[in-house]
Amino acid sequence: MEPIVVEVTRGEVVEAHHIVHAVAVRDGRIELSAGDASLVTFLRSSAKPIQALPVVRARPDLDDEEIALACASHLAAPEQLAVVRRLLSDAPAVEDELECGGAPTPIEHNCSGKHAGFLALCRARDWPTPGYRLLEHACQQAMLREVAEAAEVEPSSLVVGVDGCGVPTFALPLERAAHCFTRLASLDGGERVVRAMRAHPDLLRGPVATDALMIRALDGWIAKGGAEGLYCAGSADGLGLALKVVDGAFRAIQPALAHVLAALGIDPRPLVESPVTNSLGEHVGELRVRPSI
């Protein structure tokens, strides 16, 4: 199949469009592909559920909210920051040890939960915390191995970049990214991560985020978006999805995801409606998948 084209309308005019590559994988085989399944892209925040695995293995005392926040790209809502503070306290660590940067404070950075989880891992393993974000640190070497294991690739094959919060981010073909999410629940610590994400989907981003909408709508699914238009999801019965918007615009994910789910015979509601609104909350257009010619 050709890549998915998501149109952005304003009134009767198509004002913009986005190209989306998508792949669905089960048991290591591609079940559906739109565009280039071999497209290499950085996992960015979609890696967070995988990066949480060493944390939950080292810290079985953490509760589901803390684990969900370690997987989150939060919006600094009071209820989210309260869990990050609890995770820091349980590590134990203090906010000044967070190396994610952020304004006005590091704890308000959307990756502070992941970084608090890294500090908890360092405390459990008796690793020094300064520089925990750097590739040469034992913490990030553990993350590299974890992502490689989830993708079933050699660690040396991973292309490494620097993420927005200063930690390494790892690049994979889109098909391998989807494969990671088919395996997550079966990996050591994966059941706990899946349970936490499903129990607290609103902590992952916010209540109207595509991750939360999908988790609440589809029994057994988990999902996690990443920067620059990446979205990965996995079902309880071993189906994995990965979608990548070429221009990085995340607004195209929801209509593209609904299109992929429908093509797989999965009811995409309530992901179908993707209105364009103005500052008054008025519905002035929509995001929609361009029909195939």
Side-chain angles (χ1 to χ4, degrees):
M1 294 172 56
E2 293 297 312
I4 298 163
V5 180
V6 174
E7 298 178 332
V8 186
T9 69
R10 188 171 299 270
E12 299 300 317
V13 174
V14 175
E15 191 172 39
H17 69 269
H18 306 284
I19 308 300
V20 185
H21 297 273
V23 63
V25 174
R26 189 191 301 274
D27 296 327
R29 298 188 301 273
I30 293 175
E31 291 205 349
L32 178 149
S33 177
D36 185 4
S38 64
L39 177 71
V40 175
T41 189
F42 284 107
L43 291 177
R44 305 297 297 274
S45 286
S46 291
K48 286 176 177 174
I50 302 166
Q51 292 169 309
L53 296 172
V55 179
V56 301
R57 292 198 298 268
R59 293 298 302 268
D61 57 310
L62 298 181
D63 63 38
D64 282 353
E65 287 186 332
E66 291 173 310
I67 295 169
L69 248 297
C71 299
S73 301
H74 66 75
L75 296 174
E79 62 273 16
Q80 294 169 323
L81 295 184
V83 180
V84 179
R85 290 188 176 98
R86 193 167 78 241
L87 181 51
L88 282 171
S89 177
D90 288 346
V94 296
E95 185 176 345
D96 285 348
E97 293 179 272
L98 292 171
E99 297 182 355
C100 51
T105 63
I107 201 168
E108 292 171 274
H109 192 289
N110 67 6
C111 294
S112 64
K114 175 180 71 176
H115 281 250
F118 289 162
L119 288 169
L121 175 62
C122 289
R123 291 283 190 259
R125 298 300 188 211
D126 200 27
W127 296 333
T129 57
Y132 72 82
R133 70 178 185 89
L134 301 174
L135 179 61
E136 60 268 23
H137 192 283
C139 180
Q140 299 308 323
Q141 287 295 306
M143 298 304 145
L144 185 152
R145 292 191 298 272
E146 204 71 40
V147 170
E149 165 61 20
E152 295 191 301
V153 300
E154 288 297 320
S156 60
S157 72
L158 290 176
V159 178
V160 182
V162 180
D163 213 331
C165 63
V167 302
T169 182
F170 310 105
L172 287 171
L174 209 55
E175 175 269 333
R176 286 290 96 184
H179 184 61
C180 288
F181 276 69
T182 70
R183 304 188 68 236
L184 183 62
S186 66
L187 298 173
D188 190 5
E191 287 187 3
R192 289 218 60 209
V193 171
V194 168
R195 184 183 75 192
M197 293 176 71
R198 286 204 50 79
H200 302 284
D202 292 359
L203 292 179
L204 297 174
R205 181 68 177 170
V208 297
T210 305
D211 322 61
L213 291 175
M214 185 177 188
I215 291 171
R216 288 199 301 268
L218 300 179
D219 187 42
W221 283 80
I222 58 158
K224 185 69 189 71
E228 303 297 347
L230 181 68
Y231 187 87
C232 298
S235 71
D237 64 352
L239 183 64
L241 306 178
L243 293 83
K244 170 66 177 179
V245 186
V246 174
D247 64 8
F250 202 83
R251 67 178 179 173
I253 285 293
Q254 191 162 312
L257 174 63
H259 180 77
V260 169
L261 290 172
L264 290 166
I266 301 169
D267 186 349
R269 292 176 295 179
L271 300 170
V272 175
E273 293 187 7
S274 300
V276 175
T277 59
N278 64 13
S279 60
L280 300 173
E282 297 168 337
H283 186 164
V284 298
E286 64 178 332
L287 290 105
R288 67 190 186 197
V289 171
R290 179 188 296 172
S292 299
I293 298 174

